[in-house]
């Protein structure tokens, strides 16, 4: 009964546009970058083991060696930065807190898009694949199926491709996309996990302190801080 009803099912909702040359990058290079970006988005937000709070192996193995080491080393980090963002690198993937969640059914609804652009940085030109996707999960707490909830998660940012070994090197990705719950999650967590805000957890009539956003809108990016707002839209 929500807008997510009409979204695509799972990976079918992650479709790259036709590849065209971008700045100094050929259409073939852009197509390869799109394919890698698509695989990273799928691993980050659709992998069942990762979603249920397990080891994000599917995502980690797609990273370059340098980013993989950084990602794995920061998974258990706690607390927030001065900007209110979680220090844990688990925010690069969608993971519900271990033991908190059961997925209802096999379908995760997905909507969004990706696009390519060039970024000029000192000494190099980078191919940035911008990703902007919404994922709607229907979940329940263990042993209490009547307390189910719909959680919408927003993955947005860029996956940047640069030559790792000089101007003739192979284009390697660096994933800069972040994931934040747009609705259905508790506020204030600082461990990188998504903590569901089940109906039984929220007293009736109590509103969230921050501004409300429409979780079904690709232009309503949720904040990553400790304070979040309510949800609008249908």
């Amino acid at each position: 009964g929500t807008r997510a009803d009409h979204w695509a099912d799972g990976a079918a909702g992650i479709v790259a546009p036709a590849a065209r040359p971008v700045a100094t990058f050929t259409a073939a290079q852009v197509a390869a970058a799109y394919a890698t970006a698509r695989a990273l988005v799928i691993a980050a937000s659709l992998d069942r083991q990762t979603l249920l709070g397990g080891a994000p192996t599917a995502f980690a193995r797609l990273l370059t060696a340098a980013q993989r080491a950084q990602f794995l080393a920061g998974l258990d980090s706690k607390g927030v930065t001065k900007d209110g963002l979680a220090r844990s690198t688990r925010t690069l993937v969608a993971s519900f807190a271990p033991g908190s969640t059961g997925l209802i059914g096999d379908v995760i609804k997905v909507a969004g898009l990706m696009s390519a652009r060039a970024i000029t940085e000192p000494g190099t030109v980078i191919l940035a694949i911008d990703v902007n996707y919404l994922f709607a999960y229907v979940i329940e707490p263990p042993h209490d199926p009547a307390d189910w909830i719909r959680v919408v998660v927003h993955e947005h940012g860029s996956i940047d491709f640069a030559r790792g070994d000089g101007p003739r090197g192979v284009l390697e990705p660096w994933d800069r996309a972040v994931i934040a719950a747009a609705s259905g999650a508790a506020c204030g967590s600082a461990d990188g996990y998504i903590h569901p805000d089940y109906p039984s957890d929220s007293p009736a009539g109590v509103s969230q302190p921050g501004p409300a956003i429409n979780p079904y809108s690709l232009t309503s990016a949720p904040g990553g801080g400790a304070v979040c707002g309510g949800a609008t839209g249908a």
Side-chain angles (χ1 to χ4, degrees), residues 13-157:
I14 306 170
V15 180
R20 296 181 173 85
V22 175
T24 60
F25 302 100
T26 67
Q29 288 174 319
V30 174
Y34 276 147
T36 298
R38 182 177 186 271
L40 283 164
V41 171
I42 290 171
S45 297
L46 292 175
D47 178 70
R48 188 177 185 90
Q49 176 173 291
T50 303
L51 285 171
L52 296 179
T57 307
F59 180 78
R61 70 186 179 202
L62 295 175
L63 301 174
T64 62
Q67 189 173 24
R68 184 185 307 117
Q70 185 183 89
F71 173 68
L72 295 176
L75 283 175
D76 296 324
S77 296
K78 300 292 192 297
V80 298
T81 67
K82 63 180 181 180
D83 299 320
L85 303 176
R87 295 185 183 278
S88 174
T89 55
R90 194 169 281 270
T91 55
L92 290 175
V93 297
S95 273
F96 292 99
S100 70
T101 303
L103 295 171
I104 300 176
D106 297 323
V107 175
I108 296 168
K109 289 293 188 175
V110 181
L113 47 85
M114 68 175 71
S115 60
R117 61 190 170 96
I119 302 173
T120 301
E121 292 189 357
T124 188
V125 178
I126 292 171
L127 176 61
I129 304 299
D130 292 315
V131 296
N132 190 13
Y133 287 93
L134 295 170
F135 299 84
Y137 309 97
V138 186
I139 64 170
E140 62 187 12
H143 315 302
D144 191 5
D147 202 25
W148 70 274
I149 194 173
R150 185 184 301 107
V151 175
V152 181
V153 166
H154 195 170
E155 179 174 358
H156 58 100

